[in-house]
Amino acid sequence: MAILITGGAGYIGTHTAVELLNSGYDIIIADNFSNSTVTAIQRVEQITDTKIQFYEADIRRYTDLTAIFQNNTIEAVIHFAGLKSVNESITHPVEYYDNNISGTINLCKVMQEFSVKKFIFSSSAVVYGDPETVPITEDFPVSTSNPYGQSKLMTEQILHDIFISDNEWQIALLRYFNPVGAHKSGLIGESPNGVPNNLMPYISQVAVGKLEKLHVFGGDYDTRDGTCIRDFIHVVDLAKGHVKALDYFDTQKKGEVLTLNLGTGTGYTVLELIHTFQKVSGKNIDYDIVERRPGDIVVSYAAANLAEKILAWKTEHNLEDMCRDTWNWQSKNPSGYDT
Ligand code: NAD
Ligand code: UD1
């Protein structure tokens, strides 16, 4: 019995693969390597001293998926595969809906055919749009203004509808806040293509000398230092949340749809992150405060107590750990997996 990890060669997928193997689960990875490389899987093998079975497969291709389900006994699916840039989704909506919606529907079709009814889905805090208050609890209204966010909301709805049609399904909709950090070995981490859109990879590329200067988008927000606030969560803590969700389903007799935030419950400002990174890395991060980035949420952080209560899961890494582990990965792999 194996856990199929779609998108398992990606940033969160590789870290989850490590934690699943450490917890005694068998895994199979399916990835089309559109945003990752085989090297990432080899690094997971190195960390865990385990040979990993993987398929170069596109979730949009029915025959790719049926081949995996025919040749293996799949117990559950953790579904990371998809595209993840808000900006790119606005310029390439069809590609986003194709990968994130058509791909997921195809996956669900094959799961139904093979009676695999355990599904863990990578949702995002993007579904909360601009929240009226913080911390954000799971019952906050959802809304979104871009195709990426729509694809997460639609997938959540599709999975709810599948459960209504067959209540044996065990479905976890895990809404991630801002994943950062890397495995402490420095062998796996975030390796974005081109210039990063997100804050932490941008900071670490400035620190390693790949980028000259960080632009801080907006310094006049109504926050303690004028910059936006986010709930940064260490990717290893996030990965462990997936293991806990699987463990939890194993103890349950009934199907359900579980909607949970995965965050720390604490928000830090952009400047606080920069200063912490400088402190732990010993590197100066040159930055300018520039215009606000259109569409940015001012303050976003999770109420993390529901996941804690249901999954018996709690984050263990603080902001310094997140910065230290990011720096360890970036300094050992200045060009990511291309190094
Ligand atoms: P990632 O790009 O590193 O990993 C996604 C993986 O999926 C990549 O290896 C890519 O090659 C693969 N993939 C993409 N389309 C595919 C397809 N059609 N068939 C097979 N494989 C395909 O991204 P990540 O940061 O690891 O994110 C994983 C998931 O978590 C995504 O669904 C993303 O939307 C979600 N998420 C990420 C964040 C974040 O900040 N990283 C936040 C919230 C939610
Ligand atoms: C973005 C996505 C969100 C996704 C998340 C994690 C948008 C609107 N939202 O959120 O859907 O789930 O990434 O992948 O894009 N910042 C800078 N300079 C930079 C980069 C970022 O100042 O070069 C600031 C931003 O203005 C923001 C904060 O850092 O205030 C965090 O930005 P980012 O890492 O992009 O994450 P989110 O905005 O939370």
Side-chain angles (χ1 to χ4, degrees):
M1 295 279 260
I3 311 300
L4 174 64
I5 312 179
T6 73
Y11 173 45
I12 305 171
T14 45
H15 289 83
T16 304
V18 169
E19 296 310 320
L20 286 168
L21 289 168
N22 286 345
S23 301
Y25 284 97
D26 283 335
I27 63 162
I28 293 170
I29 287 177
D31 203 302
N32 69 355
F33 301 109
S34 58
N35 196 33
S36 53
T37 64
V38 176
T39 313
I41 297 178
Q42 291 163 345
R43 298 280 183 90
V44 174
E45 294 185 323
Q46 198 179 333
I47 292 169
T48 57
D49 199 17
T50 308
K51 186 91 195 102
I52 294 172
Q53 192 184 353
F54 75 89
Y55 290 81
E56 180 162 358
D58 194 306
I59 54 163
R60 292 167 295 177
R61 220 174 293 133
Y62 178 78
T63 48
D64 282 7
L65 294 182
T66 46
I68 300 172
F69 281 75
Q70 257 155 15
N71 294 320
N72 302 280
T73 307
I74 306 292
E75 179 191 349
V77 176
I78 305 186
H79 179 35
F80 296 109
L83 304 180
K84 63 166 180 177
S85 155
V86 169
N87 286 342
E88 202 181 54
S89 80
I90 295 166
T91 53
H92 295 80
V94 175
E95 231 175 294
Y96 269 67
Y97 288 124
D98 188 34
N99 274 276
N100 295 6
I101 300 295
S102 304
T104 304
I105 290 176
N106 204 32
L107 175 63
C108 291
K109 230 186 254 173
V110 177
M111 287 178 70
Q112 273 183 332
E113 278 172 33
F114 287 83
S115 280
V116 177
K117 301 183 181 183
K118 241 180 247 187
F119 193 112
I120 299 186
F121 174 61
S122 302
S123 191
S124 165
V126 75
V127 301
Y128 295 116
D130 198 352
E132 274 186 18
T133 57
V134 279
I136 300 170
T137 53
E138 288 82 353
D139 56 1
F140 269 34
V142 290
S143 74
T144 181
S145 56
N146 56 74
Y148 170 71
Q150 284 294 356
S151 76
K152 293 296 176 193
L153 274 180
M154 285 179 194
T155 303
E156 289 197 359
Q157 185 61 50
I158 291 165
L159 293 171
H160 273 289
D161 291 338
I162 290 176
F163 175 74
I164 290 168
S165 75
D166 176 353
N167 58 23
E168 284 180 3
W169 279 67
Q170 294 177 305
I171 297 168
L173 310 175
L174 303 182
R175 295 174 172 169
Y176 313 156
F177 280 68
N178 290 58
V180 296
H183 189 263
K184 65 176 181 330
S185 62
L187 285 168
I188 54 172
E190 191 169 10
S191 180
N193 284 330
V195 178
N197 290 315
N198 297 118
L199 181 60
M200 185 66 117
Y202 206 110
I203 292 177
S204 65
Q205 293 197 12
V206 172
V208 84
K210 267 187 86 180
L211 295 170
E212 200 187 326
K213 188 182 259 194
L214 171 73
H215 301 287
V216 171
F217 300 131
D220 57 354
Y221 287 107
D222 184 17
T223 61
R224 50 187 177 264
D225 62 19
T227 62
C228 293
I229 292 179
R230 293 290 183 276
D231 187 338
F232 301 102
I233 174 170
H234 197 294
V235 66
V236 171
D237 284 330
L238 187 72
K240 286 180 177 168
H242 296 71
V243 179
K244 288 287 192 178
L246 278 181
D247 292 346
Y248 166 81
F249 282 148
D250 283 344
T251 66
Q252 301 300 300
K253 302 266 175 294
K254 293 197 325 238
E256 66 184 302
V257 181
L258 203 56
T259 303
L260 295 174
N261 287 338
L262 293 186
T264 64
T266 304
Y268 289 101
T269 70
V270 171
L271 291 181
E272 285 163 353
L273 182 68
I274 296 170
H275 295 146
T276 307
F277 195 98
Q278 290 189 143
K279 189 174 116 192
V280 304
S281 67
K283 292 281 171 186
N284 180 49
I285 309 297
D286 204 3
Y287 69 86
D288 277 341
I289 297 185
V290 300
E291 290 290 288
R292 295 177 174 193
R293 181 171 71 176
D296 263 342
I297 307 300
V298 186
V299 182
S300 167
Y301 58 90
N305 38 331
L306 190 60
E308 185 180 340
K309 188 173 135 209
I310 293 182
L311 303 183
W313 165 87
K314 209 172 173 0
T315 57
E316 290 165 353
H317 295 84
N318 63 25
L319 198 67
E320 290 200 1
D321 300 328
M322 300 178 210
C323 292
R324 190 199 54 236
D325 292 341
T326 301
W327 177 236
N328 183 40
W329 151 255
Q330 186 74 71
S331 53
K332 285 180 174 157
N333 305 271
S335 303
Y337 292 112
D338 294 338
T339 301

